[in-house]
Amino acid sequence: MSANIAFHVAVLAGDGIGPEVMAPALEVLRKVGDKSGLGFRFTEAPAGANNYLATGKSMPDTTIKLCEEADAILLGACGLPSVRYPDNTEIAPQIELRFIFDLYAGVRPARLIPGVPSPIVGADARGIDLVVIRESTEGLFASMGKGVVTHEDARETMVITRKTSERLFEFSFRLAERRKARGKPGMLTCVDKANVFKAFAFFRGIFDEIEKKHPSVKTERLYVDACSAMLVKRPWDFDVMVMENMFGDIVSDITASLIGGLGMAPSADIGDKYAVFQPCHGTAPDIMGQGKANPTGMILSAAMMLDWLADKYGVESAAEAGQTIERAVDQAYAGGIKPMEFGGSNGTADITKAVLAAL
């Protein structure tokens, strides 16, 4: 693909504040595209709890087909606490897409932006810039929809396979190598519970095997409990971290809280061919329609999408455009933008306007 060809992006705005944060992200992409010579073709499609209420399905087949044909997928927050499947689980197309398209690498960056408060003493001076890589199709989530419940007990099974673990670790080592080339530490931490569970000892053993292929990457191994304690004391000691699905679900929320909260946190679910980009936050129905939603996580997820498209298609200008968006977000916050979750008065429109102005 050349830079003269428009990237086709499937847009699934979702539920609650999902559409409210998606609109600013698309506006930012259009503007950075105009500046960098990139083209975008956005095709919107339904997904989420509202679609389930209307049709009985979280996503129509046409949405899945669109995602299959698009160059990338932008996903807003999906699901509503009051809308459930018959087994009482929430509507979660974001999880379903991981299984449909084999998106095994959940990438959760956590970077402290200038001017954003962190609960960690010293973070403003030391900085936080790390990435959690969460395996996204196996682990405890392999039991999703398959658990067994009786009157006496409930059972879910954790699954870790060699095939997925090898791909996950190769992805993680390559990311650490790319970060090192950009001036980051280039260190990869394997997070597990190998001292208690055979499955995690198996997981760590595969990590040890893949490590031999990537001698330039420094490595360490930590148990998840020790890792969690270290994260809230010295998060600047971490670079890239890789872990099982459920551990990643929890640890990525910890790391998001270190950089201002879920509203600031972008994410991606990446496979060998497809990728979905979405903010880490939920649908926040309590503030829906009030103009209070923070679009930063969604905007930064769009920047992640550009970096991935650059790597996939060899379009360097897309990577530069992604970095331009990140710099614009930094400039907006350094200029005094303060979202409402920080006790400020800036809502969706103010934040969007500041980022666009910085572009």
Side-chain angles (χ1 to χ4, degrees), residues 236-321:
W236 42 81
D237 286 346
F238 291 92
D239 187 20
V240 183
M241 310 157 68
V242 60
M243 61 201 73
E244 177 269 340
N245 206 331
M246 179 58 81
F247 288 169
D249 191 22
I250 297 166
V251 170
S252 62
D253 274 18
I254 294 175
T255 56
S257 72
L258 306 182
I259 60 163
L262 292 174
M264 301 297 299
S267 78
D269 288 304
I270 298 174
D272 292 335
K273 184 177 180 182
Y274 302 97
V276 173
F277 301 86
Q278 67 174 124
C280 287
H281 62 71
T283 54
D286 57 323
I287 62 169
M288 179 178 60
Q290 300 175 37
K292 296 179 179 179
N294 183 353
T296 305
M298 187 77 246
I299 291 170
L300 290 175
S301 296
M304 289 181 69
M305 179 187 75
L306 291 176
D307 191 65
W308 180 80
L309 286 169
D311 185 56
K312 181 177 181 180
Y313 292 109
V315 181
E316 184 57 34
S317 58
E320 294 169 358

Side-chain angles (χ1 to χ4, degrees), residues 89-350:
T89 58
E90 287 192 31
I91 314 304
Q94 64 271 30
I95 298 177
E96 294 166 28
L97 287 168
R98 296 169 194 165
F99 291 101
I100 292 170
F101 293 113
D102 193 21
L103 310 178
Y104 55 85
V107 184
R108 309 290 189 265
R111 182 176 65 89
L112 185 61
I113 291 171
V116 174
S118 172
I120 307 302
V121 175
D124 54 343
R126 300 293 296 268
I128 300 172
D129 187 351
L130 57 85
V131 182
V132 172
I133 301 179
R134 166 192 178 187
E135 193 289 311
S136 291
T137 60
E138 297 183 345
L140 195 55
F141 277 73
S143 276
M144 192 180 75
K146 303 173 186 177
V148 177
V149 180
T150 70
H151 180 71
E152 300 300 331
D153 61 22
R155 298 173 185 267
E156 306 275 7
T157 302
M158 181 171 67
V159 177
I160 292 177
T161 68
R162 172 171 289 278
K163 176 183 176 181
T164 295
S165 297
E166 287 178 345
R167 292 187 298 168
L168 178 74
F169 293 140
E170 285 286 359
F171 180 95
S172 303
F173 275 102
R174 289 196 303 271
L175 178 60
E177 288 166 346
R178 290 200 302 275
R179 283 174 63 85
K180 185 175 182 179
R182 294 178 178 180
K184 309 297 182 185
M187 182 176 71
L188 179 60
T189 303
C190 180
V191 181
D192 56 45
K193 197 65 177 171
N195 58 330
V196 176
F197 295 100
K198 292 180 179 180
F200 285 117
F202 176 73
F203 187 76
R204 182 180 289 200
I206 298 171
F207 179 86
D208 294 343
E209 294 172 14
I210 302 300
E211 177 190 24
K212 297 173 184 176
K213 302 179 183 178
H214 301 270
S216 67
V217 176
K218 295 180 291 184
T219 62
E220 64 177 356
R221 294 139 183 85
L222 287 175
Y223 301 134
V224 66
D225 45 350
C227 174
S228 300
M230 292 173 66
L231 273 171
V232 297
K233 293 175 68 176
R234 300 180 58 85
W236 42 81
D237 286 346
F238 291 92
D239 187 20
V240 183
M241 310 157 68
V242 60
M243 61 201 73
E244 177 269 340
N245 206 331
M246 179 58 81
F247 288 169
D249 191 22
I250 297 166
V251 170
S252 62
D253 274 18
I254 294 175
T255 56
S257 72
L258 306 182
I259 60 163
L262 292 174
M264 301 297 299
S267 78
D269 288 304
I270 298 174
D272 292 335
K273 184 177 180 182
Y274 302 97
V276 173
F277 301 86
Q278 67 174 124
C280 287
H281 62 71
T283 54
D286 57 323
I287 62 169
M288 179 178 60
Q290 300 175 37
K292 296 179 179 179
N294 183 353
T296 305
M298 187 77 246
I299 291 170
L300 290 175
S301 296
M304 289 181 69
M305 179 187 75
L306 291 176
D307 191 65
W308 180 80
L309 286 169
D311 185 56
K312 181 177 181 180
Y313 292 109
V315 181
E316 184 57 34
S317 58
E320 294 169 358
Q323 293 170 7
T324 298
I325 292 174
E326 291 184 356
R327 288 194 296 269
V329 170
D330 287 3
Q331 186 175 331
Y333 277 89
I337 280 291
K338 192 174 183 181
M340 294 182 181
E341 65 261 36
F342 302 162
S345 60
N346 299 124
T348 313
D350 288 343

